[in-house]
Amino acid sequence: IPRIENECRDRLLIALRDKLPFNISCPPEVAMPGGKRSDSAFTYGKIAVPFEAKGQWHDQVWSAAEKQLDTYYCIDYKAAKRGIYLVFWFGTQVPNSRKPKLPPGEIPIPATAGEMQVALQSTIPAHRKSDIAIVVLDASRS
């Protein structure tokens, strides 16, 4: 059964902790402008690239890259308008409360992590595609 988002995030950050080069750190819950907090940020010196994570089941999984990450976190001067949006993919063989949310409009329903990544990338405005990285972490057991 997929864990809640913060637990998924915490487990990922623990796994990354000793594997990041150049003393890059990735602490949880990083303060952002306007009293907001990103799930994390990859920090190195004066650079901090915000990281927002959602589970495939989250109500805002299809809009958070633009409406949360880009709007509230990428505006931080340390981010230089860049950010990382991560979605935890557990596949379709999960309890109903963890099933992938249906995509908006005419975006095809993804059946794999790869399809989810392509679909999410299609939701990013063209002028922001090079600044917002979309990562879908396949945690399915397929």
Side-chain angles (χ1 to χ4, degrees), residues 1 12 21 29 32 38 40 42 49 55-58 61 72 77 81 103-104 108 110 123 127 134:
I1 297 174
L12 175 64
E29 300 290 328
M32 290 286 142
S38 66
S40 186
F42 289 92
V49 179
Q56 66 184 26
W57 57 86
H58 195 281
V61 69
Y72 297 116
Y77 75 96
K81 298 183 181 179
T123 68
H127 71 284
I134 304 290

Side-chain angles (χ1 to χ4, degrees), residues 29-100:
E29 300 290 328
V30 176
M32 290 286 142
K36 304 284 186 187
R37 298 184 78 74
S38 66
D39 282 316
S40 186
F42 289 92
T43 62
Y44 176 74
K46 295 182 180 182
I47 300 168
V49 179
F51 164 104
E52 180 59 30
K54 296 284 186 233
Q56 66 184 26
W57 57 86
H58 195 281
D59 287 339
Q60 288 133 14
V61 69
W62 292 100
S63 61
E66 184 179 5
K67 293 190 165 120
Q68 188 175 357
L69 176 68
D70 198 28
T71 300
Y72 297 116
Y73 308 152
C74 292
I75 61 170
D76 186 76
Y77 75 96
K78 295 176 281 188
K81 298 183 181 179
R82 289 176 173 76
I84 301 166
Y85 182 56
L86 174 99
V87 171
F88 294 104
W89 176 265
F90 289 90
T92 57
Q93 302 302 312
V94 293
N96 285 339
S97 65
R98 297 293 192 243
K99 295 264 187 213

Side-chain angles (χ1 to χ4, degrees), residues 62-63 101-108 119 123:
W62 292 100
S63 61
K101 286 292 179 188
L102 293 177
E106 300 193 16
I107 297 173
T123 68

Side-chain angles (χ1 to χ4, degrees), residues 105-135:
E106 300 193 16
I107 297 173
I109 298 170
T112 66
E115 290 175 9
M116 182 71 162
Q117 184 163 354
V118 169
L120 285 165
Q121 287 170 334
S122 75
T123 68
I124 305 297
H127 71 284
R128 296 296 292 139
K129 286 187 188 286
S130 64
D131 296 323
I132 297 175
I134 304 290
V135 177

